[in-house]
Amino acid sequence: MQRSGTVPAFDLRISITDTEPLIWRRLHVPMTLTVPEFHLAVQAAFGWENSHLYAVRGVDRAGKAREIAGPDDATEDLDAEPASGVVLSELLDVQTPGTALEYEYDFGDSWTHHVEVLGAADLPAGELMCVDGANRGPVEDSGGPHGYRRLLQIVADPEHPEHSDTKYWISGVTGEYGSHFAPATFDRQAANGKLRLLSLQWWPQPLSDEERDAVLLPVRWLLENAAPDGLELTKDGYLKPAMVKRAMDELGWSDPVMGKGNRETHARPVLELRLHLIDWKLLRKVKGRLVLTPRGKRCLERPAELWDYLGDAVGRQEHDAVRLATRIHTDWHLSGIAPASGRRVEAIRGAMLAAGFVTRSGHPIPDEWVSDINQVVRRNLKCLHLMAPKVDHRGRSLLTDGGVKFLLAVRAAGKSG
């Protein structure tokens, strides 16, 4: 649990060697951080995707040379000790500014980070903090410092024959289009947002009623409007246009670009919400009306029970492939470290292949099935208010504090189911 006061912490300057201009961050992290936790903090601060192996090399405080690699389950063939259980304070001395270690990410591109102790930091308990930095983190799989430097030169030269192809490739990898890709900028607020996601998992805090109610808002909104006598449906079984419009407006789903959104067929969030509450057996159709089930009535009266029930419903999917994809999305959201949206289906497909998923005939799962599974998981999560509004067009939406706590419950349910 997070405790009041401050904890002993490192003030670290982390620079990616051979980058021009230099890409660096200054982090305050607890001395008790393990190497795997430090790895994730670096990933969050620089905007990496945590899709490759990593290693930490240095001389520990006893004078012994150490090479530590992770993740543990992927480093059996490496001549290095596993990262789990190794604490950062074994390798760095806060009393000796200038002591350093090397953190390498992606052994193919070889992104080497020089990690130097500047001194001690005054860090609130249960927090991680990025206090300074410069330049956007490199693009994943761009070929190391030399390859990334060449990529930036091509992007800066509209006359270069590879200019258009390179910009297209960057947009596919990063999800940042045109001027949204800004290599000379550093968004410290976004970095700290990702670090907060990690801190809420490593030092959990109690769930407040306000956080719970904010996450459950769409579900409770529809349950409340269906009580006590139900909602009249159209002859085709949809919510009436006036109710669809209210939902879009009151739940913050209206989009000026998409128009009024007063039909479920043009207001996908409302359609998915209704279908999910029926699937979750909180609502049912009776004689042309949408009414609460006994479970729906009970959960409406007891928000804590609704929280637990939905955590189980999302986490304990009936189909193993959907459960795997749910776990992957959960991990992406909880870390704030994920591939660009256009690459996520590919990542899920790779995970399914690695897990041995095949069709009944023994063939790999077809691409369209993977896309459908991805959509199922995304729509499950969109029925809840988990994400904070985006600060600008460059960044990605991150979980609210309540969103973190809900997905931790989903993760726990998935492991126990």
Side-chain angles (χ1 to χ4, degrees):
M1 297 295 292
Q2 180 174 1
R3 292 178 287 183
S4 60
T6 60
V7 296
F10 289 112
D11 182 358
L12 302 176
R13 180 182 167 97
I14 307 173
S15 308
I16 303 181
T17 58
D18 297 326
T19 52
E20 299 175 11
L22 189 67
I23 301 171
W24 63 275
R25 306 286 185 263
R26 185 175 176 185
L27 300 185
H28 290 174
V29 300
M31 295 183 196
T32 55
L33 220 59
T34 65
V35 167
E37 290 169 341
F38 172 71
H39 157 71
L40 289 176
V42 174
Q43 292 283 305
F46 284 90
W48 292 119
E49 294 181 4
N50 193 24
S51 56
H52 299 282
L53 304 180
Y54 68 92
V56 171
R57 304 180 184 92
V59 177
D60 66 19
R61 297 175 65 177
K64 179 183 177 182
R66 304 274 294 274
E67 180 170 0
I68 300 139
D72 292 357
D73 59 359
T75 58
E76 294 179 356
D77 297 330
L78 298 179
D79 186 19
E81 63 179 294
S84 61
V86 181
V87 181
L88 201 58
S89 58
E90 296 177 38
L91 308 169
L92 296 172
D93 186 357
V94 74
Q95 301 299 328
T96 310
T99 57
L101 57 78
E102 176 184 285
Y103 165 86
E104 182 182 0
Y105 171 63
D106 184 355
F107 299 157
D109 282 2
S110 189
W111 296 102
T112 303
H113 303 59
H114 180 74
V115 182
E116 179 184 356
V117 176
L118 300 181
D122 185 24
L123 183 67
E127 290 191 17
L128 305 162
M129 192 175 300
C130 180
V131 297
D132 204 356
N135 299 303
R136 184 201 189 281
V139 176
E140 198 89 22
D141 300 321
S142 58
H146 174 74
Y148 183 57
R149 190 158 54 246
R150 180 177 181 275
L151 179 146
L152 296 184
Q153 291 169 352
I154 294 172
V155 169
D157 180 7
E159 303 302 319
H160 194 285
E162 299 177 37
H163 179 78
S164 295
D165 288 344
T166 300
K167 288 185 67 176
Y168 180 80
W169 181 82
I170 290 174
S171 68
V173 172
T174 67
E176 300 169 15
Y177 299 87
S179 61
H180 293 161
F181 176 68
T185 63
F186 168 52
D187 189 342
R188 187 165 67 92
Q189 182 178 357
N192 276 315
K194 292 182 179 181
L195 291 171
R196 179 163 179 79
L197 297 181
L198 296 175
S199 70
L200 286 170
Q201 297 171 66
W202 298 341
W203 305 288
Q205 300 179 31
L207 175 70
S208 70
D209 291 348
E210 293 77 11
E211 291 169 341
R212 180 198 63 209
D213 292 346
V215 168
L216 299 178
L217 176 62
V219 174
R220 285 180 54 81
W221 185 93
L222 190 51
L223 292 178
E224 288 170 354
N225 278 279
D229 301 320
L231 292 169
E232 184 180 0
L233 301 172
T234 68
K235 62 181 179 60
D236 294 319
Y238 296 112
L239 291 172
K240 292 281 189 174
M243 183 58 62
V244 174
K245 183 66 167 62
R246 276 190 57 202
M248 293 294 286
D249 290 343
E250 295 178 18
L251 295 175
W253 287 338
S254 292
D255 185 348
V257 177
M258 300 299 292
K260 293 182 179 180
N262 62 353
R263 298 290 193 280
E264 282 192 36
T265 51
H266 298 108
R268 188 81 198 197
V270 180
L271 172 63
E272 290 295 336
L273 180 63
R274 178 179 62 80
L275 292 176
H276 274 80
L277 264 62
I278 293 173
D279 186 54
W280 290 332
K281 296 179 173 53
L282 297 171
L283 294 173
R284 61 179 177 173
K285 293 181 182 179
V286 177
K287 297 180 179 180
R289 301 186 73 81
L290 192 65
V291 301
L292 273 69
T293 64
R295 175 179 285 137
K297 293 177 182 177
R298 188 170 64 251
C299 285
L300 181 58
E301 296 170 355
R302 305 170 186 171
E305 184 173 331
L306 178 61
W307 174 276
D308 293 338
Y309 176 71
L310 292 180
D312 283 347
V314 174
R316 296 179 180 177
Q317 296 292 329
E318 178 181 356
H319 299 288
D320 290 341
V322 178
R323 182 176 295 194
L324 173 62
T326 299
R327 180 182 61 77
I328 292 170
H329 272 275
T330 297
D331 290 345
W332 284 340
H333 284 311
L334 284 172
S335 66
I337 302 167
S341 57
R343 303 174 72 196
R344 294 181 188 179
V345 170
E346 179 184 350
I348 292 172
R349 182 188 300 113
M352 292 178 67
L353 285 172
F357 282 95
V358 293
T359 65
R360 290 181 179 177
S361 60
H363 293 89
I365 302 296
D367 291 353
E368 59 269 24
W369 290 15
V370 181
S371 296
D372 289 345
I373 290 168
N374 181 57
Q375 286 296 330
V376 167
V377 176
R378 291 181 68 248
R379 289 168 181 167
N380 282 342
L381 298 178
K382 281 184 175 293
C383 289
L384 299 152
H385 273 180
L386 302 173
M387 313 302 290
K390 290 174 63 172
V391 176
D392 56 39
H393 294 296
R394 289 194 183 95
R396 294 174 181 170
S397 296
L398 297 177
L399 293 171
T400 62
D401 288 8
V404 171
K405 295 168 188 179
F406 182 80
L407 287 188
L408 287 174
V410 167
R411 176 188 279 174
K415 289 180 178 178
S416 63

